[in-house]
């Protein structure tokens, strides 16, 4: 979306394309939080947009429509679009909107809903969160945080017949949460928002969690049960409008992993955004995307002639002879049979057979993500090593943004391997550390695990603001590690389902400082903590910091060169000769 916001996008009769916004990342300006109000609407929206840089555009759409509704601009139309947004994308919005904007949603529903029951429930949720907000604000006004006071030995009178809560043994909070759980459904929108708001209040540093740590009986979990995130079927592939004849050269993106993940996974969202941004900077136009051969056939049937280029985003797909990996390479062969140039890039390559290597050899350009993947190819294979395409986006957002100061000393991310994800969750629980997952499906499983064991940590979906809110990370996620490195955060990484984490760290020369040992999972908790502390300490060395910065800059340069080579397949020069800025600059 351009820096100047078009209000007509939200006031026109036609519903905005929220599906496209779900998978687009806002860029172009540095991240900057925004509070307050500007009388000029365009200025207000432009400043508000900066708060969502590096994040899915759908978050800004929600905020922009909120502003229009508060200002009573095309209220009926905008609220209809607003409810369409929630009806179609509540699964994502419930996870990626922070409490500020979820409370704002409650305010909007209270103001605009024609269902009195829904409006009443919404304003009561606002009352709940804002009451906690007022209490925590007064606590901050009292000065530096003091040592926790001892619980009251006996009940003390408050106002109008109320008495103090008996911390440690009182049952009021447990009973309250039981009633909320019984009352808030898993289907009505305002109730689903309420479950998120209550859970985040319980899991954060609030009076609820502080009292909860002191309870000896009548305890409560750090969340209300929430409905699991269901796998969301990817929408059908579609062209970007009518395919015009060249120029400009057109391409199809094959394996849009952001859409496969429903837009939940920050890493795949950034990787696909990076591919599109680099190719656009080189004058290439996206004709559409597909995630399998059937989708590719359907897409190509919409135009008189195939686009000139097919770009396969391999990411973590091409390994262990997976059926889907083979199917994607077959789709590349189909595209080539129609005269399309084929570029396979941003890919792992591990434990694949000779038949798959033969299919890969048909591509005009192949770039694997690390030297281990190159070594897994036949010795004479004409491939190049280029680091993950998400690096320039993570690096630019983290370096340019004015993020709030980090509030967490260490935070933890999950792992694609369930056993490792469970071990990382236990590590977070033992240290009362925040725990985040990247894909939505994994988040649901991990929450269920924590709930079954009455664990003290409530897992959350990782956003770029979460990444910046911790001073250090322990992660089993490849893109989580990349994000932490680009943010200048010390990071301890655990091996994944392929050698992608080891491969990148080896190529960067950061293995000794960043990679946890293969036996870390089986170590006692105290030994795990010591190893993490050792890794984090090594990364405080100024020489390491300088080396990390240099390898990331080199990675961005090489990623730009890779896209120069891809664009050259259809005769387009690098962006400096087009008079356009490269996104890596």
């Amino acid at each position: 979306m351009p820096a100047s916001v078009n209000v007509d996008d939200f006031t026109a009769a036609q519903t905005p394309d929220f599906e496209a916004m779900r998978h687009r990342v806002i860029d172009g300006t540095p991240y900057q939080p925004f509070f307050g109000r500007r009388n000029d609407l365009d200025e207000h929206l432009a400043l508000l947009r900066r708060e969502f840089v590096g994040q899915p555009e759908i978050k800004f759409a929600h905020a922009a429509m909120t502003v229009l509704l508060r200002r009573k601009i095309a209220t009926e139309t905008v609220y209809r679009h607003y409810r369409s947004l929630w009806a179609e994308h509540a699964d994502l919005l419930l996870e990626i909107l922070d409490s500020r904007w979820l409370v704002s949603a409650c305010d909007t529903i209270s103001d605009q809903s024609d269902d009195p029951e829904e409006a009443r429930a919404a304003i009561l949720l606002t009352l709940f969160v804002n009451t906690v907000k007022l209490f925590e604000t007064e606590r901050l006004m009292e000065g530096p945080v003091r040592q926790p006071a001892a619980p009251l030995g006996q009940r003390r009178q408050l106002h109008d017949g109320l008495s103090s809560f008996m911390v440690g043994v009182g049952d009021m909070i447990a009973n309250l949460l039981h009633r909320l759980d019984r009352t808030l459904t898993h289907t009505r929108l305002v109730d689903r928002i309420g479950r998120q708001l209550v859970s985040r209040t319980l899991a954060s540093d609030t009076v609820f969690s502080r009292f909860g740590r002191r309870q000896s009986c009548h305890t409560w979990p750090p969340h209300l049960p929430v409905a699991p995130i269901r796998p969301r079927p990817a929408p059908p592939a579609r062209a970007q409008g009518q395919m015009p004849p060249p120029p400009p050269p057109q391409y199809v993106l094959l394996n849009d992993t952001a859409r496969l993940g429903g837009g939940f996974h920050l890493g795949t969202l950034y990787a696909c955004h990076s591919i599109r941004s680099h190719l656009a900077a080189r004058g290439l136009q996206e004709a559409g995307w597909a995630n399998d051969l059937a989708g590719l056939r359907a897409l190509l049937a919409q135009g008189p002639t195939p686009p000139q280029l097919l770009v396969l985003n391999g990411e973590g797909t091409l390994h262990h002879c997976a059926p889907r990996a083979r199917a994607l390479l077959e789709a590349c062969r189909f595209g080539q049979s129609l005269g399309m140039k084929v570029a396979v890039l941003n890919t792992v390559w591990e434990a694949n057979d000779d038949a798959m290597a033969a299919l890969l050899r048909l591509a005009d350009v192949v770039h694997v993500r690390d030297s281990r993947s190159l070594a897994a190819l036949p010795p004479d294979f004409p491939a190049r090593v280029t680091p993950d395409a998400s690096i320039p986006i993570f690096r630019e957002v983290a370096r340019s943004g004015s993020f709030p100061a980090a509030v967490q000393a260490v935070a933890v991310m999950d792992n694609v391997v369930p056993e490792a994800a469970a071990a990382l969750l236990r590590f977070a629980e033992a240290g009362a550390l925040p725990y985040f997952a990247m894909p939505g499906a994994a988040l649901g499983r991990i929450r269920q695990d924590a709930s079954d064991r009455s664990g003290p940590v409530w897992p959350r979906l990782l956003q770029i603001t979460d990444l910046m809110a911790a001073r250090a990370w322990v992660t089993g996620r490849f893109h989580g590690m990349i994000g932490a490195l680009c943010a200048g955060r010390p990071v301890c990484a655990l091996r994944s389902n392929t050698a992608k984490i080891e491969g990148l760290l080896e190529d960067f020369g950061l293995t000794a400082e960043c990679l946890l040992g293969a036996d870390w999972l089986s170590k006692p908790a105290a030994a795990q903590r010591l190893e993490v502390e050792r890794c984090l300490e090594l990364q405080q060395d100024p020489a390491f910091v300088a080396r990390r910065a240099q390898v990331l800059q080199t990675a961005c340069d090489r990623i730009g060169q890779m896209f120069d080579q891809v664009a050259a397949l259809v005769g387009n020069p690098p962006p400096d000769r087009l008079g356009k800025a490269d996104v890596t600059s």
Side-chain angles (χ1 to χ4, degrees):
M1 179 177 266
S4 58
V5 180
N6 186 359
V7 174
D8 293 343
D9 292 341
F10 305 108
T11 58
Q14 182 177 358
T15 302
D17 189 353
F18 295 128
E19 180 65 34
M21 295 180 191
R22 180 179 179 126
H23 303 288
R24 287 201 299 256
V25 176
I26 292 181
D27 60 7
T29 56
Y31 172 92
Q32 178 70 54
F34 175 63
F35 296 94
R37 176 190 171 101
R38 297 291 188 275
N39 290 330
D40 183 274
L41 177 61
D42 290 337
E43 180 189 10
H44 184 101
L45 291 176
L47 290 170
L48 181 62
R49 181 182 180 278
R50 294 185 61 176
E51 184 174 319
F52 299 98
V53 168
Q55 300 166 73
E57 190 179 312
I58 199 170
K59 293 177 72 172
F60 172 70
H62 178 268
M65 287 189 290
T66 300
V67 170
L68 297 177
L69 290 169
R70 296 291 187 274
R71 299 190 182 206
K72 298 181 172 23
I73 296 173
T75 302
E76 183 177 344
T77 299
V78 174
Y79 189 61
R80 175 166 52 82
H81 295 335
Y82 186 87
R83 293 308 295 242
S84 294
L85 171 67
W86 275 103
E88 297 165 13
H89 302 282
D91 61 335
L92 182 65
L93 293 172
L94 287 169
E95 299 296 341
I96 65 176
L97 293 179
D98 60 22
S99 291
R100 171 191 175 191
W101 288 104
L102 289 177
V103 169
S104 177
C106 290
D107 290 337
T108 299
I109 292 169
S110 177
D111 289 345
Q112 303 294 336
S113 178
D114 56 7
D115 179 350
E117 287 272 331
E118 183 182 50
R120 278 194 292 271
I123 198 61
L124 289 175
L125 289 170
T126 294
L127 174 65
F128 171 81
V129 178
N130 283 344
T131 300
V132 176
K133 176 179 176 178
L134 291 173
F135 173 81
E136 299 297 336
T137 300
E138 184 181 41
R139 183 168 171 261
L140 290 175
M141 290 168 59
E142 293 174 352
V145 177
R146 302 184 300 273
Q147 287 295 105
L152 298 174
Q154 59 185 8
R155 293 186 185 276
R156 301 274 295 274
Q157 291 302 307
L158 301 177
H159 72 279
D160 199 29
L162 292 177
S163 60
S164 59
F165 177 65
M166 296 302 294
V167 179
V169 297
D171 62 357
M172 180 268 289
I173 295 178
N175 290 337
L176 169 66
L177 296 177
H178 174 72
R179 293 184 178 104
L180 283 170
D181 185 30
R182 188 182 62 207
T183 303
L184 298 175
T185 71
H186 290 279
T187 54
R188 192 171 66 161
L189 173 61
V190 71
D191 293 349
R192 295 171 69 190
I193 295 174
R195 287 181 174 274
Q196 282 282 342
L197 285 170
V198 172
S199 295
R200 296 182 192 193
T201 301
L202 297 175
S204 301
D205 181 21
T206 65
V207 63
F208 287 94
S209 62
R210 292 191 294 272
F211 282 1
R213 290 192 290 270
R214 293 170 172 267
Q215 287 295 105
S216 59
C217 60
H218 304 300
T219 58
W220 56 86
H223 62 90
L224 294 180
V226 295
I229 298 171
R230 306 293 182 189
R232 185 174 184 267
R238 64 187 230 178
Q240 309 297 324
Q242 286 296 107
M243 292 188 194
Q250 290 193 315
Y251 72 93
V252 172
L253 178 61
L254 182 62
N255 200 31
D256 185 337
T257 50
R259 281 184 165 84
L260 282 174
F264 287 91
H265 195 303
L266 184 64
T268 60
L269 191 68
Y270 276 21
C272 292
H273 179 71
S274 179
I275 292 170
R276 290 182 164 102
S277 296
H278 277 91
L279 293 177
R282 288 156 178 81
L284 276 70
Q285 181 184 74
E286 183 182 356
W289 56 271
N291 280 328
D292 52 32
L293 178 56
L296 180 62
R297 288 180 182 275
L299 176 67
L300 297 182
Q302 298 179 39
T305 59
Q308 296 93 320
L309 178 64
L310 180 62
V311 177
L312 171 58
N313 169 37
E315 280 201 51
T317 308
L318 306 186
H319 63 88
H320 293 92
C321 296
R324 187 165 184 276
R326 194 182 302 273
L328 288 171
L329 292 175
E330 290 285 1
C332 289
R333 178 161 65 178
F334 170 72
Q336 191 175 55
S337 73
L338 300 179
M340 301 175 75
K341 296 290 186 181
V342 175
V344 179
L345 49 81
N346 195 44
T347 189
V348 68
W349 186 268
E350 183 175 326
N352 295 312
D353 58 24
D354 291 343
M356 284 187 61
L359 286 171
L360 184 66
R361 196 182 287 274
L362 297 175
D364 297 280
V365 168
V366 176
H367 285 256
V368 293
R369 294 193 304 196
D370 55 70
S371 297
R372 286 196 176 203
S373 293
L374 182 63
L377 289 165
D380 62 339
F381 201 98
R384 302 186 188 184
V385 176
T386 303
D388 189 80
S390 69
I391 291 174
I393 307 299
F394 272 115
R395 187 166 176 263
E396 178 61 24
V397 173
R399 290 175 63 196
S400 66
S402 299
F403 291 89
V407 294
Q408 302 291 343
V410 180
V412 184
M413 288 182 223
D414 72 320
N415 190 298
V416 69
V417 180
E419 295 79 7
L424 287 163
L425 177 58
R426 289 191 295 271
F427 178 79
E429 289 174 340
L433 305 174
Y435 185 90
F436 295 88
M438 295 198 82
L443 178 63
R445 291 193 299 270
I446 295 165
R447 280 181 178 165
Q448 188 61 53
D449 175 32
S451 178
D452 290 345
R453 295 181 295 99
S454 298
V457 170
W458 192 59
R460 294 281 304 278
L461 186 75
L462 184 76
Q463 298 289 289
I464 187 65
T465 46
D466 301 315
L467 185 71
M468 302 303 295
R471 293 190 291 275
W473 284 92
V474 179
T475 181
R477 286 287 174 180
F478 176 72
H479 285 113
M481 177 185 69
I482 286 176
L485 290 171
C486 291
R489 303 298 199 250
V491 57
C492 303
L494 193 63
R495 291 163 172 80
S496 187
N497 62 333
T498 67
K500 54 194 173 187
I501 286 178
E502 303 98 299
L504 182 138
L505 291 176
E506 287 170 5
D507 287 349
F508 282 7
L510 305 179
T511 302
E513 296 89 351
C514 297
L515 187 64
L516 294 171
D519 61 345
W520 187 85
L521 288 175
S522 60
K523 286 184 174 181
Q528 288 180 336
R529 187 170 60 253
L530 285 174
E531 186 173 350
V532 166
E533 290 171 353
R534 180 190 65 82
C535 285
L536 297 180
E537 180 63 29
L538 288 173
Q539 295 175 58
Q540 302 299 326
D541 183 1
F544 171 87
V545 174
R547 189 156 36 97
R548 178 182 62 197
Q550 181 57 55
V551 296
L552 290 171
Q553 177 61 60
T554 301
C556 289
D557 293 342
R558 289 168 58 190
I559 291 165
Q561 293 162 11
M562 173 181 71
F563 285 105
D564 289 345
Q565 185 189 22
V566 172
L569 290 175
V570 291
N572 269 37
D576 57 344
R577 281 180 272 154
L578 290 167
K580 298 180 180 180
D582 191 344
V583 296
T584 65
S585 60

